[in-house]
């Protein structure tokens, strides 16, 4: 009995240590307010693979073939993510007037560019992917059955804002 009480006390102590004492901030939509997600150097290399794995799970559920990371699409996505930050606006055209198709071709991708998803956020890659899946147009890019190649990149500003670009190629 003493051992069980000691174990319960220890668990309660550990759980109490997890409480920040701050109530979770809720937005007007009733969802928790986002907090700044700082991407560490150790996380940078894993992000593309987390997105790839998640996209392929979503594609499997939808009954479409998996995709693989493509270096040219990753390069085009990285260029655009940084360029959106420079322009300080999320949109599909580059500061030089380039379209997603132009950027993919410049990066040396020879297949068809099927779609581009972009985001300006403070959220993680998986939260951003979930937001894209909530909208029909961005969900269609992710689940395009012609997709074979994926490019994903981000650029994070000092204040924590993250510019995401996902490219789907056939």
């Amino acid at each position: 009995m003493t051992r069980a009480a000691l174990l319960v006390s220890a668990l309660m102590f550990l759980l109490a240590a997890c409480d920040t004492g701050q109530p979770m901030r809720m937005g007007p939509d009733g969802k928790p307010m986002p907090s700044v997600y700082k991407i560490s150097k150790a996380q940078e290399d894993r992000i593309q693979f987390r997105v790839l794995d998640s996209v392929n799970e979503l594609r499997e559920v939808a009954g479409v073939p998996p995709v693989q990371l493509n270096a040219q699409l990753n390069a085009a996505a990285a260029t655009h993510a940084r360029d959106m930050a420079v322009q300080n606006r999320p949109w599909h055209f580059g500061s030089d007037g380039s379209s997603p198709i132009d950027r993919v071709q410049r990066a040396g991708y020879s297949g068809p560019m099927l779609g581009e998803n972009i985001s300006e956020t403070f959220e993680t890659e998986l939260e951003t992917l979930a937001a894209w899946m909530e909208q029909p147009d961005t969900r269609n890019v992710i689940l395009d059955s012609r997709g074979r190649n994926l490019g994903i990149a981000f650029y994070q500003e000092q204040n924590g804002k993250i510019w995401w670009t996902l490219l789907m190629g056939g």
Side-chain angles (χ1 to χ4, degrees):
M1 181 69 167
T2 306
R3 188 174 188 173
L6 187 58
L7 182 59
V8 169
S9 297
L11 285 173
M12 290 178 67
F13 177 75
L14 286 172
L15 288 174
C18 293
D19 185 14
T20 63
Q22 299 287 333
M24 184 176 287
R25 291 182 28 209
M26 302 302 273
D29 59 357
K31 295 182 179 178
M33 294 287 291
S35 59
V36 176
Y37 169 58
K38 287 287 193 173
I39 300 171
S40 70
K41 290 290 182 197
Q43 291 173 306
E44 286 181 8
D45 295 336
R46 297 183 209 137
I47 286 174
Q48 288 179 324
F49 295 104
R50 276 197 297 264
V51 172
L52 176 67
D53 291 345
S54 297
V55 164
N56 280 333
E57 287 179 26
L58 293 165
R59 291 176 65 84
E60 182 179 357
V61 169
V64 296
V67 293
Q68 61 184 2
L69 286 175
N70 178 275
Q72 289 90 9
L73 292 178
N74 284 340
T79 298
H80 192 56
R82 182 175 284 275
D83 190 47
M84 286 190 298
V86 168
Q87 296 181 71
N88 196 32
R89 63 178 170 180
W91 76 321
H92 294 283
F93 293 95
S95 57
D96 61 356
S98 62
S99 72
I101 294 170
D102 296 331
R103 290 188 300 276
V104 164
Q105 288 174 345
R106 279 188 213 155
Y109 185 71
S110 59
M113 197 284 298
L114 302 174
E116 176 182 71
N117 291 347
I118 58 173
S119 179
E120 166 196 21
T121 185
F122 290 91
E123 295 179 325
T124 70
E125 61 278 3
L126 298 181
E127 290 169 321
T128 301
L129 180 58
W132 285 333
M133 289 300 291
E134 289 179 5
Q135 300 300 318
D137 57 340
T138 51
R139 181 178 52 247
N140 289 342
V141 169
I142 294 165
L143 300 180
D144 190 326
S145 62
R146 300 168 297 162
R148 298 296 176 265
N149 297 294
L150 175 77
I152 181 73
F154 66 90
Y155 175 76
Q156 186 164 35
E157 296 179 1
Q158 289 294 323
N159 67 4
K161 184 189 294 184
I162 308 170
W163 301 85
W164 297 99
T165 303
L166 178 144
L167 288 164
M168 186 65 68

